[in-house]
Amino acid sequence: MSSENLPQSPERAESPEQQRRKPRVAVVFGGRSSEHGISVVTAGAVLKAIDRTVYDVLPIGITTDGRWALTADEPERMAITDRRTPDVGRLVESEDGTVALSVDPASREVLYSEPGAVPKALGGVDVVFPVLHGPYGEDGTLQGLLELSGVPYVGAGVLASAVGQDKEYMKRVFRSFGLPVGPYLVVRPREWDRDPAAARERIVDFAGEHGWPLFVKPARGGSSVGITKVDGLAGLDEAIEEARRHDPKFLVESLLRGREIECGVLEFEDGPRASVPAEIPPVTAHEFYDFEAKYIDSAPGLVPAPLTEEQTAEVQRLAVAAFEAVSCEGLVRADFFLTEDGDFVINEINTLPGFTPISMYPRMWQESGVDYPELVDRLIQAALNRTTGLR
């Protein structure tokens, strides 16, 4: 995109017409995590759903190497095709142009620059809709930047985003609030680097106490990327290597036998409410509900979940309690196991859950009476009505 074709910054002294302008939403997607492709798919769905008669939209993609760039506003190019996820690099308007947010809270300006050219102001944004999954986006890093820039944004704040991304501290917070958490073990980077044999022995002891199989997973990942189900000692080292490929800190969890239940939480004017829950049935073509089952093969979920009224009320209560425990804002998907003993155990929350057309979070709210466009609108309006800073 040449600098001559870029939108120009509005005058600071706004005319009545400018005062009546539509709120401007920057949809930020892509990013440096292993969930880059799913973030692009999510962005396509969000861009398609935003009502252009109500909002102006500015799509900003972050490449896998971290460059912020203007991208085409073409949601149809952001879908999974031939079992492959899309990439921001194929959507950028310029191979060299970069986008940056001003850190002056008084301006909220978006700046565009190309090598050897004077940076251009593209005007301010009123709210950011971040659809980044995983580290460098969902974990509080982007939220911190937006707080510095004074730009309101959809979803959880810095602390809640960080806690919601780190499964160790998420579980610690849940336990401190009396929420039921399954057995787990954490191996931190220094522990593994100092004495991997001792760390491995700790895992073997954990298996001796809780039994095989185990799940080995990155501590700060999502979309089931890097998770391995381990049936015995033979597969343990390979599973650890796979988890550490995505995060030097990893978790080991015991298998909880029962049903996988999910529940969405959405912030309304009177506070957070829970959706009807959903159930993830066993996926026969996969070891568990992994990345390919979720996004490539589109394993179906049951919405609503076939639960009793009492079970539905209980999982909804726990979902809202998890939302409040982590001080979340906007939205959360809470994932549970309903054990064979009839108890709910919380596995994790996602502060920026999958938001593709087939994702469980929007499907649960669709069944609860909030369709996808209304869901997107509610999240934007909630963000516009919040301030940045301490709240």
Side-chain angles (χ1 to χ4, degrees), residues 29-244:
F29 61 97
R32 295 162 55 190
S33 83
S34 55
E35 299 175 79
H36 176 100
I38 289 304
S39 172
V40 179
V41 176
T42 296
V46 170
L47 286 168
K48 190 174 181 179
I50 293 177
D51 186 347
R52 306 308 174 94
T53 67
V54 177
Y55 305 103
D56 285 328
V57 177
L58 180 67
I60 299 175
I62 303 177
T63 63
T64 54
D65 60 1
R67 179 170 67 95
W68 289 44
L70 292 179
T71 67
D73 186 4
E74 299 175 3
E76 64 277 3
R77 294 174 58 195
M78 301 180 184
I80 294 173
T81 55
D82 299 326
R83 301 178 65 86
R84 295 179 59 186
T85 55
D87 186 278
V88 165
R90 292 194 282 271
L91 299 168
V92 297
E93 296 281 6
S94 166
E95 294 297 328
D96 300 312
T98 60
V99 173
L101 276 175
S102 168
V103 292
D104 178 4
S107 73
R108 298 183 181 178
E109 288 278 7
V110 177
L111 304 175
Y112 178 86
S113 60
E114 292 181 335
V118 177
K120 296 283 185 179
L122 305 187
V125 295
D126 297 289
V127 64
V128 168
F129 199 131
V131 291
L132 295 143
H133 301 305
Y136 313 111
E138 190 182 352
D139 58 352
T141 50
L142 176 66
Q143 290 74 16
L145 172 63
L146 296 173
E147 293 284 352
L148 287 173
S149 300
V151 181
Y153 52 93
V154 169
V158 176
L159 175 64
S161 296
V163 172
Q165 186 66 37
D166 191 313
K167 294 177 176 60
E168 175 191 359
Y169 289 99
M170 181 197 308
K171 292 175 185 291
R172 288 179 182 273
V173 169
F174 288 159
R175 278 186 168 169
S176 73
F177 277 82
L179 295 170
V181 174
Y184 72 98
L185 175 151
V186 179
V187 179
R188 297 182 176 183
R190 280 197 291 271
E191 177 186 0
W192 183 260
D193 293 339
R194 184 173 59 245
D195 193 343
R200 189 178 188 277
E201 187 62 30
R202 210 158 59 88
I203 297 171
V204 173
D205 290 344
F206 179 84
E209 180 180 358
H210 299 287
W212 301 92
L214 303 176
F215 288 90
V216 181
K217 59 177 64 175
R220 294 162 289 195
S223 295
S224 299
V225 174
I227 299 179
T228 306
K229 181 182 178 183
V230 184
D231 294 313
L233 285 173
L236 181 58
D237 290 342
E238 185 178 350
I240 292 171
E241 182 179 342
E242 172 61 14
R244 282 177 51 81

